[in-house]
Amino acid sequence: MTRTLYDLTRTVFKSRYPVRELGRGMPMAGENRTPSVWVRPERARRAQPALSRTQIVDAALDLLDAEGLDGLSMRRLGTRLNSGATSVYWHVANKDELLELALDRVMAEVAVPSGDDWRAAATGYARSLRAMIHRHPWTVTLFGGRPMIGPNATRVLDEVLAAFGSAGFTGFDLEYAWSAVVDYVIGAAGSEASWQRAQPGTSAAEWVDNLGPYLDRLDEERPGLASHIREIWMKETGDVLEGRFAFGLACVLDGLEARRPPAR
């Protein structure tokens, strides 16, 4: 049963992007590994530890949002909680499980509008997922790394599948349709969030202006590209980013609209 559930969620929550190793705890050759923290039986103990799982996930999220994946370690987490790593390991077997819990926590922020308009639901979901990624950019490389079967992730998936199902998509077409949207959002929002994190406080115009001699050389070698950088990239603002995202999302949804099964 567990294996079947694992295979199902790996298929449903797959991502088309390279995934880095999430953390320690990788199994040795021949060693069995619990597919998810959500299916691992809770450890039996006479007395509950001082720390709760909620406290641990809260502290992990603080570290992740402030410093990204590299800023999170079991030791640093224990220090932040003023507790030894042993208390953390009581709730999670390794860093991978901790990241599963953290990712499911932020999936609670993703909303899927209700109603009969599948396109409005898809648009609302896409924008909500994008906003969550901007708040928590460390999530991007985690999608597809392990099965997302926590309560928040499964709630989102159930609502998304219902929305796309109302458009007439069924079976593999249903899977392909919602995957096209989520893949677009992860790619677009991930790129936006990475840029903002790498260039904090620097406007696009300042970045282009700092290119200096490089742009002068580009004028001779690739004048069309140099012109595009000056005319478009220098004017890139939040409104431009919003327009780019909206344009791409509309193209994806237009394509799905054209492939919808005919109404019966």
Side-chain angles (χ1 to χ4, degrees), residues 13-131:
F13 283 95
K14 61 183 177 296
S15 172
R16 280 65 166 171
Y17 305 97
V19 178
R20 55 185 281 178
E21 180 180 319
L22 301 185
R24 296 181 181 179
M26 300 301 288
M28 300 294 288
E31 178 185 357
N32 292 325
R33 176 178 179 175
T34 304
S36 170
V37 66
W38 301 107
V39 299
R40 175 173 55 77
E42 294 186 10
R43 298 189 181 97
R45 186 175 178 178
R46 295 178 182 176
Q48 289 295 317
L51 291 174
S52 68
R53 174 179 281 187
T54 297
Q55 290 174 304
I56 291 171
V57 176
D58 286 344
L61 282 176
D62 288 341
L63 284 171
L64 287 165
D65 288 342
E67 304 181 40
L69 290 173
D70 292 337
L72 177 64
S73 70
M74 303 300 267
R75 178 174 295 181
R76 291 195 66 195
L77 184 60
T79 300
R80 191 178 188 89
L81 291 164
N82 295 316
S83 176
T86 301
S87 297
V88 177
Y89 281 117
W90 166 251
H91 291 284
V92 292
N94 48 46
K95 184 177 175 181
D96 286 5
E97 289 194 352
L98 181 60
L99 290 171
E100 275 192 86
L101 294 171
L103 185 57
D104 190 72
R105 172 73 69 81
V106 298
M107 285 299 293
E109 302 172 15
V110 180
V112 183
S114 59
D116 298 329
D117 188 339
W118 77 273
R119 185 158 179 148
T123 299
Y125 162 66
R127 292 191 173 281
S128 183
L129 179 60
R130 179 196 184 205

